[in-house]
Amino acid sequence: MKLALIGISNSGRTTLFNSLTGRSAATTGYSAAEAEPNMAVIKVPDRRIDELARIFKPKKRTHARIEYMDYLGLCRGDAGQNGKVIEFIKDADALVYVLRGFEDAGVAHPLGAVDPVRDFDTIEAELIIFDLDLAEKRLLHMEEAARKGKPPKREEEAAVRKCREALEREMPLRYTAFDETERRAIRHLDFISMLPVMAVINVAESDLASAKSLSWRDAIRKRTARFTEIPLDPIVLSGKIEMEIAELPAEDAAAFLRDLGVGVPARERMIRESYGMLGLISFLTVGEDEVRAWTVRKGAPARAAAGKIHSDLERGFIRAEVVSYDDFVKAGSLSGARSKGLLRLEGKQYVVRDGDIIDFRFNV
Ligand SMILES: Nc1nc2c(ncn2[C@@H]2O[C@H](COP(=O)(O)OP(=O)(O)O)[C@@H](O)[C@H]2O)c(=O)[nH]1
Ligand SMILES: [Mg+2]
């Protein structure tokens, strides 16, 4: 799963990338146009893995993984001109908007003044302009083909028209309801406004909980509440502080966070949200060899989850022995869970839940 950090130049994307990934990529006034993207795979923090490892003392513990990418800044007009940024976005499974909320006379703002709500609108507009152009070109192409006696696929034409209509109303396609047929018909077009999005407002330390930050957050919520019942709720953080936290040893970081009145570092909140935004959950496998988190989409049946581990488990699936993480902790051991009746036998259609500890029985 790849998440791309995007935003106007100097919003603090690279600073945030560093604090998320523990890297130290260069943060600069203006990024060089020929710079390479920063990429890093990180472990999804999961206390359950640590707790289970304490109980099973496995040779190996394996967390779920997620990849962050950081590249050039976006600017007005990029949809038409900057192929590099668009290609970068197309490569992602989801987007993280980094919106600048900090003042700093030494760090130029390409649009003149600090205004994260305007920056949000600017990014959304670029995605919409790009997709609208794509939809129009596609429809034109289909018309031309039709004139030459090659009628377009009905489903695709209807779905692309629906996209165009939404985009003309300035609605990003992530908020448009498509059925399965429509989704399949337009999948190959890779509309960028269809990607799931989360937003971060990068503010000064003194603004972490200020009225100003709240009003920015609220304004962005309202922007998306026009289109959806689950409006975008930006995370307010300070990239500078997060980077300092990422550089501290764990105990010092905890004390620092307490002093700031922040419970969980934004890094963890962001990673958790990234996971949720993509509709992902983790199930767990345990044993003396390995304690491990596996990633599946919400709603995945047990048989498909088995296939994540090995195709043999999917092919020869017999049943799944399942105990929820919380029940397991209550019982203290697998045998305890079994004797208390907390260990369930489930079939291949069972819908896996986040935190399920699963032992697959199979026969090939
Ligand atoms: N004052 C302040 N400066 C920041 C903050 N985050 C980033 N910067 C500075 O802003 C400049 C641009 O940051 P960078 O992460 O390179 O932005 P990018 O262009 O979006 O990748 C750098 O000089 C950073 O040190 C912040 O929270 N507060
Ligand atoms: Mg940068």
Side-chain angles (χ1 to χ4, degrees), residues 43-59:
K43 293 193 283 188
V44 176
D46 191 338
R47 296 200 173 83
R48 298 172 301 196
I49 292 285
D50 304 323
E51 182 59 23
L52 292 170
R54 207 179 52 74
I55 295 168
F56 287 94
K57 304 192 175 38
K59 295 192 192 88

Side-chain angles (χ1 to χ4, degrees), residues 8-16 26-29 31 70-71 102-104 107 202-204 238-241:
I8 312 288
S9 280
N10 282 354
S11 57
R13 285 163 299 123
T14 304
T15 305
L16 195 62
T27 59
T28 48
S31 18
D70 160 48
Y71 192 38
F102 68 89
E103 297 280 352
D104 189 331
V107 180
N202 182 16
V203 300
S238 162
K240 240 183 176 168
I241 289 180

Side-chain angles (χ1 to χ4, degrees), residues 128-155:
I128 288 170
I129 291 166
F130 180 82
D131 280 353
L132 186 54
D133 185 56
L134 181 62
E136 276 166 354
K137 283 201 178 117
R138 186 69 192 159
L139 287 169
L140 211 63
H141 178 83
M142 286 192 274
E143 267 170 40
E144 273 167 17
R147 267 203 301 278
K148 289 179 193 148
K150 235 187 107 197
K153 289 204 191 91
R154 229 173 243 284
E155 294 85 13

